[in-house]
Amino acid sequence: MLAVLCYVLVVLSTLVDSATLIVDTPLGKIRGMEVTANNSKTYWSFRGIPYAKPPLGKLRFAKPVALTYQDKIIDGTAPGKSCIQAPMILSKDVTSEDCLFLNVYTKHVDLNNPKKVLVWIHGGAFLFGSSSIDAGTFVTDHDVIVVTLNYRLGLLGFFSTEDNASPGNYGLWDQAMAIKWVKYNIGAFGGDPDDITISGESAGGGSVSLLSLSPVTKGLFTKAYSQSGAANSLFAKYSNPRSAALEIAKSFNCSDGHEIKGNTTSSKLIIDCLRTIPADAFVHLNLFEGFRAKMTPRADGEFLPRTPLSLIKDTYYLEQIGFYNRTYLVGLNNNEKTTIEPFHYGTLQAIFENVTLNDSQKEKLWQDYQQKTYSTVISDGLELETLPNHILQTVVDWYEDRNTIYTAIPEIVTDLQFYIPTFQVLNAIARSKTTDAWLLYFNYYPHYMRGDARGMVHALDLSYWLDTPADELQKMLSSKTPTNFDARDKRVKARLAAIVASFVNNGHPSLALRDIIPTGWPTYDLLHAQYLDFNESPTVQTHLMREQRELWEKTVASLIARSQHNTPNHSDPCS
């Protein structure tokens, strides 16, 4: 019915001249322009399309508000501004608080043959990034409509007082609003509103996973491709939002720093005050704490009724929200820890190269850092308010036995940021006998990567199916600037793009591998845990990271179960 409504409202596109095109959507006319992709093919680009009212004034720290019909032609020939953030790393985009824009890219507009749609959500730790990624080659080679979007970031996207004054998750609400916009308007661009795939990498992958777990998004999309991020990744969990809110409010003289729990009036006064602060002032805040950002998604009772790990374990809940009515593609890289190591080794350097400290002082600082990191990361990963010492020691011993005391921390953090949360989500999907999921492990070693940065480092996968230049990504990753892709890189890129396109177009990524894996790339299941070992010569393997998974899924889970079973119930007089 929705598809019929979209098409009834669509007026045939009007060709203005050889370089521009106007489409008439349910929300108004939009002008786009013809551009040329890296492969020299042309496509239509509609950029800077507003999908919600500007989140200014009273709409700061509030859910996005849908736009009504625009009785004017929206100029989609120039990009919209990116959301307020620290100085941009990947581009020179202009930032603004008025940033809720999206872009639509399509090879051609044909209302008679609807194309499949992919909605891309950028990463950046929920602190930075934008919709300005280049999808030209993917769009023209595979005839998929790609939509990219901005969403509020950092303080403006996730500030929370943990009550009704400011529940948080505004960036996630933005993403859901953008997908709704696509659902109701993509028909005007020749897209299929009933078959939308959402995709993202890092925080974008975490967002895809969170959107899949939310009751708010039921029925909005049919497929999900998450890369290097899951709903229960450490970077997707807001740690101590209330204390962070008080700290920030105090820095702007919007609070005296006293506890605000249960006092909604105090929270509203803080929010009213912060709404008067110029948005540019928030750019200079340090929103990192240890290995992750302070301002991230949280269980707010509405967008996320409970913590992601709790929701993942609840099969009945997953059935009710339509989680099992979708198809999933999940990706991991073979060197995700490049996002973790700079902070860790920077900390070690700051400790041991400090000439003002003697050896015992350095050792104490190292021990304090080690103890705090282990206890915080492991308890957060397990979602335990109190971490029993025997569980902590079991995990630490396991990692230190397989690494050195100086490399164990980045290994644990990487596993809890990326690998273990991904398998927890996959396990939840695999509990259903009717829901398909595929796991892709990007196990490739580009010729231009050397030293600790060898392999498919975090985020480099974007250059292997989209047109984001690898050297731009390397600036962000603090690695050596690579040369241009060689023939091997180009073959890998073409293969990965075909896999993603096959998933979007057919719901079955293995169709792109029929020439080299005739028996097929099987879906992931609990018994065999099969996955695609992806490189220049992809193969199907089983039980990726079996040792780490057995530690967390069996040994630690068993210790937690016994610990909880043995904890006295003080409400029971017989305990």
Side-chain angles (χ1 to χ4, degrees), residues 248-508:
I248 289 169
K250 186 177 181 181
S251 71
F252 287 105
N253 295 318
C254 291
S255 169
D256 59 9
H258 290 148
E259 177 61 46
I260 56 174
K261 184 175 182 180
N263 190 335
T264 304
T265 301
S266 296
S267 298
K268 287 180 177 177
L269 291 174
I270 288 174
I271 296 303
D272 288 342
C273 178
L274 287 176
R275 282 175 174 154
T276 68
I277 305 297
D280 288 345
F282 300 140
V283 172
H284 306 292
L285 293 171
N286 178 16
L287 297 182
F288 271 104
E289 187 172 45
F291 293 97
R292 54 183 176 169
K294 294 180 182 178
M295 299 286 161
T296 56
R298 62 174 291 265
D300 61 357
E302 184 177 7
F303 198 98
L304 295 172
R306 303 192 302 277
T307 65
L309 190 56
S310 172
L311 298 178
I312 287 168
K313 294 176 180 178
D314 190 340
T315 301
Y316 176 76
Y317 169 82
L318 297 179
E319 290 172 345
Q320 295 303 302
I321 65 162
F323 180 83
Y324 291 123
N325 297 334
R326 305 184 184 108
T327 306
Y328 298 88
L329 174 62
V330 178
L332 288 167
N333 292 348
N334 63 7
N335 192 359
E336 301 281 11
K337 65 182 178 183
T338 47
T339 60
I340 309 302
E341 290 174 323
F343 176 84
H344 173 69
Y345 292 118
T347 301
L348 294 191
Q349 184 178 23
I351 291 173
F352 291 110
E353 293 184 7
N354 191 329
V355 296
T356 66
L357 302 176
N358 58 40
D359 288 347
S360 62
Q361 290 172 321
K362 291 177 182 179
E363 183 61 26
K364 184 180 186 307
L365 281 176
W366 157 244
Q367 292 295 336
D368 289 346
Y369 161 71
Q370 200 178 21
Q371 183 178 2
K372 181 180 179 180
T373 301
Y374 280 142
S375 60
T376 301
V377 167
I378 295 170
S379 60
D380 284 0
L382 297 172
E383 293 188 0
L384 295 175
E385 289 187 14
T386 302
L387 179 65
N389 188 64
H390 68 287
I391 296 177
L392 170 66
Q393 204 57 50
T394 296
V395 174
V396 171
D397 289 346
W398 192 94
Y399 279 92
E400 290 191 348
D401 285 347
R402 289 159 178 78
N403 302 276
T404 71
I405 60 171
Y406 298 112
T407 61
I409 284 178
E411 293 294 337
I412 290 181
V413 177
T414 300
D415 282 351
L416 291 177
Q417 286 278 38
F418 304 107
Y419 300 124
I420 298 305
T422 294
F423 285 113
Q424 289 169 335
V425 172
L426 278 168
N427 290 344
I429 298 170
R431 291 202 301 268
S432 168
K433 303 299 182 183
T434 59
T435 304
D436 290 334
W438 289 266
L439 172 60
L440 183 150
Y441 183 56
F442 206 159
N443 195 21
Y444 177 63
Y445 291 85
H447 68 94
Y448 49 79
M449 304 299 286
R450 295 289 183 267
D452 291 339
R454 285 190 74 241
M456 191 50 49
V457 301
H458 185 72
L460 187 56
D461 50 275
L462 295 181
S463 292
Y464 283 85
W465 69 280
L466 298 168
D467 288 339
T468 299
D471 58 345
E472 286 293 310
L473 283 167
Q474 293 317 294
K475 291 175 186 176
M476 179 185 74
L477 300 169
S478 301
S479 302
K480 292 181 180 179
T481 301
T483 58
N484 292 330
F485 277 12
D486 63 12
R488 182 167 166 254
D489 293 312
K490 291 176 181 178
R491 286 193 295 270
V492 171
K493 177 173 180 174
R495 181 73 71 178
L496 180 58
I499 288 171
V500 176
S502 182
F503 178 69
V504 174
N505 283 319
N506 310 301
H508 212 298

Side-chain angles (χ1 to χ4, degrees), residues 92-109:
K92 297 179 180 179
D93 293 3
V94 177
T95 63
S96 170
E97 190 172 6
D98 180 6
C99 64
L100 299 187
F101 301 103
L102 55 78
N103 311 306
V104 179
Y105 304 116
T106 181
K107 187 175 181 179
H108 48 75
V109 176

Side-chain angles (χ1 to χ4, degrees), residues 386 388 390 559-570 572 575:
T386 302
H390 68 287
L559 291 173
I560 291 173
R562 287 204 298 269
S563 178
Q564 292 173 339
H565 177 75
N566 293 330
T567 300
N569 182 353
H570 297 292
D572 184 351
S575 62

Side-chain angles (χ1 to χ4, degrees), residues 108-122:
H108 48 75
V109 176
D110 183 356
L111 303 187
N112 296 317
N113 297 288
K115 298 177 180 61
K116 303 304 181 184
V117 181
L118 182 143
V119 177
W120 169 256
I121 302 170
H122 71 78

